[in-house]
Amino acid sequence: MYLLDANVFIAAKNHHYGFAIAPGFWRWPEREYNAGTVCSIDKVYNEIAAGEDELAEWAKHNASIFVGGDAAMVRSLRELASWARTSGRFTPAASSEFLSVADCYLVAFAHAHELIVATHEQPDHRARKRIKIPEACDHLGVSWTDPFTMLEQEHATLVLDEP
């Protein structure tokens, strides 16, 4: 099962799969959630639904795909927090930011439930001022991929309706 980062939805809306040109992309997450293939978390929902745009409305109509955190992820959150604060690699500001946004919870949930994170982020092992999702995933041994690879691996088809 794949766990979708907020940037999957945001980039899709802003670039690759606008609502007007690729409605199939927007039906895909709900269908795949019902099939047990994809989901996201409530913290991602909160980020998206706070907006005042078509993406926020879509999230509100598809809230079921955004699952809540649970007790299983607490150990993973603690391990991520310790790593972010004590690895010596990141600035205190980077650690604080990471621990206060959805990214930390996304990785912890994926770790606790053995999910694959789908994100547009790429690792930057030299960066000290920002903790990226792939680096946190790597630390916990969580698999991650980009959304295009996920769509390909899941044989997603965004087919136009025939006239």
Side-chain angles (χ1 to χ4, degrees):
M1 180 178 239
Y2 294 92
L3 189 62
L4 307 180
D5 182 17
N7 69 23
V8 171
F9 302 108
I10 294 166
K13 176 193 72 105
N14 291 339
H15 304 289
H16 316 294
Y17 304 117
F19 286 95
I21 62 169
F25 175 85
W26 300 100
R27 289 190 298 267
W28 188 83
E30 182 179 9
R31 185 187 78 198
E32 294 303 310
Y33 170 75
N34 290 328
T37 307
V38 303
C39 67
S40 192
I41 61 169
D42 56 355
K43 299 259 187 211
V44 167
Y45 171 84
N46 294 341
E47 284 183 12
I48 293 171
E52 295 182 18
D53 60 6
E54 202 169 10
L55 179 56
E57 289 305 311
W58 177 87
K60 291 171 187 172
H61 286 96
N62 292 280
S64 63
I65 72 167
F66 299 93
V67 298
D70 58 16
M73 65 187 263
V74 172
R75 183 180 65 74
S76 301
L77 280 170
R78 284 188 191 127
E79 188 173 339
L80 275 176
S82 177
W83 168 75
R85 289 183 180 129
T86 64
S87 70
R89 183 157 161 238
F90 305 105
T91 65
S95 297
S96 292
E97 179 187 353
F98 177 72
L99 298 173
S100 69
V101 296
D103 296 0
C104 178
Y105 294 88
L106 190 79
V107 174
F109 192 87
H111 181 253
H113 297 281
E114 298 181 2
L115 305 178
I116 302 166
V117 175
T119 182
H120 282 290
E121 288 188 11
Q122 293 296 310
D124 181 354
H125 298 292
R126 294 175 295 159
R128 293 184 34 81
K129 295 183 180 181
R130 182 161 183 260
I131 299 174
K132 295 198 171 193
I133 289 171
E135 294 162 337
C137 284
D138 289 348
H139 172 72
L140 290 181
V142 171
S143 296
W144 59 274
T145 190
D146 66 86
F148 303 112
T149 301
M150 173 193 67
L151 290 169
E152 184 178 343
Q153 288 175 343
E154 291 304 310
H155 308 290
T157 54
L158 309 176
V159 178
L160 292 172
D161 294 331
E162 294 296 322

